[in-house]
Amino acid sequence: MARWIALFTDTPEMLEVRQQHGAAHLAYLDANRDKILIGGGLRPESGAPFVGGLWVLDVESRDEAVKLVEGDPYYRPEFRRYELLVWGKAIDRPVTL
């Protein structure tokens, strides 16, 4: 298994997708919690609208990461771009957020 991050960048139109599909998105994250270890939205400052997101994935391959990203109810290529990068965790101990 390799750890990957998915870094999402949203257009302003993605806010409507978030409103319409928020419950389905959270259910998707929960259903895949063994592979999507951490996920959350990104904002330029507290209280501002979301402009993207970040996931930490534990998957076998890049192809598996792509399938997870593109299977998400939030995935709308016209409103959301993503980048996948292998992540090397420097501190390998349990983390509570």
Side-chain angles (χ1 to χ4, degrees):
M1 296 285 235
R3 289 193 182 115
W4 291 78
I5 63 132
L7 181 60
F8 302 98
T9 304
D10 297 348
T11 67
E13 294 83 4
M14 187 62 194
L15 290 173
E16 186 174 330
V17 174
R18 284 177 174 273
Q19 291 171 349
Q20 293 175 352
H21 300 283
H25 167 71
L26 294 175
Y28 183 81
L29 293 178
D30 188 53
N32 291 285
R33 67 181 173 265
D34 60 323
K35 295 178 182 175
I36 303 170
L37 305 180
I38 299 172
L42 300 173
R43 306 170 191 240
E45 59 185 61
S46 182
F50 290 106
V51 296
L54 175 77
W55 290 358
V56 176
L57 307 165
D58 195 12
V59 294
E60 292 288 339
S61 66
R62 185 180 197 287
D63 288 342
E64 190 174 359
V66 168
K67 287 178 187 174
L68 281 169
V69 166
E70 295 184 3
D72 180 13
Y74 272 8
Y75 180 64
R76 299 291 190 280
E78 65 273 26
F79 303 138
R80 171 169 267 200
R81 293 183 331 224
Y82 69 91
E83 183 176 10
L84 292 171
L85 300 166
V86 175
W87 179 47
K89 185 177 177 185
I91 302 170
D92 199 12
R93 64 177 183 261
V95 176
T96 303
L97 301 175

